[in-house]
Amino acid sequence: WRENGKAEFYTHVPAANQYDPGDRFWWNTEGYQAQFVPGRWHHIEMHYRLNTPGQFDGLMEGWFDGVKAAHYPAFYFRDAPTASMKIAWVFFSTFFGGSSSDAWNAAKNEHATFDEFIVSNRRIGYPGKPLDVDADKLPNAWEIAHFGTDSAARSTDDADGDGSINLDEYITGTDPNSQSDFFKVTNAALGTNFSLTILGKAGRRYILERSSLLTGGTWTAIFTSAIMASDVVLSITDPNPPADKGFYRVRAEVP
């Protein structure tokens, strides 16, 4: 990628091509410029077809998140002296720096994640948009519903200032933009047994855990609900509470 995340082919060839911007062949031939967005997964597919030696009949094209973005036909990869050249291997490298100038050095610590490399002699295709395109553990649909786009929310932020970060709001099924909607336990009571009531949210399960120590102790699950098919008031009971003292907590999970 280049300035502002623009995608390109950076290709050295033995002769100028009919579409010849130099070495930088932008992914912009199909009416838009493909651009990488920081913090998002992107799907890249590239297709090369070598030319008949000495003729402008090669092909170089690319798809960005399943949409064609680059198409360079009449391409010249090899000439008479390199007529025996074949596609022999695939090499992947990513780096910062460069011998020509310090201008290419990274200005701050950077990281990038790559996955699922596939090499094929036929079109592979786009597997579809990831359910969590920015890998923040907040599904696209949830972020769009509450924040307008699939990558607008940070999982560690507390959008409504109610003491629960966005990730916890998703897990408990509460509204991250409403201070009045937060996960809470009601009607907790201790008698011959311990019981409490919560509002169970669809798609979640709830686990009641007990420990003899608030911190540093071992928490034991004494009740695990089924995955809620719909929102429902859920009553949880510990029929054998400790005789002296005990601490309880409720853990919500999205399987």
Side-chain angles (χ1 to χ4, degrees), residues 37-108:
V37 177
R40 292 180 66 96
W41 278 103
H42 291 289
H43 183 269
I44 304 302
E45 188 168 4
M46 296 176 288
H47 175 221
Y48 294 91
R49 186 183 69 231
L50 295 185
N51 63 304
T52 304
Q55 298 185 26
F56 287 85
D57 59 0
L59 176 64
M60 185 169 64
E61 55 188 350
W63 291 261
F64 190 85
D65 291 338
V67 179
K68 196 166 188 178
H71 182 71
Y72 290 96
F75 210 83
Y76 194 94
F77 288 107
R78 53 188 182 172
D79 51 20
T82 58
S84 62
M85 185 185 73
K86 304 289 185 181
I87 299 175
W89 47 284
V90 175
F91 172 72
F92 174 79
S93 175
T94 179
F95 66 94
F96 282 103
S99 60
S100 60
S101 170
D102 286 339
W104 304 111
N105 293 341
K108 58 183 176 64

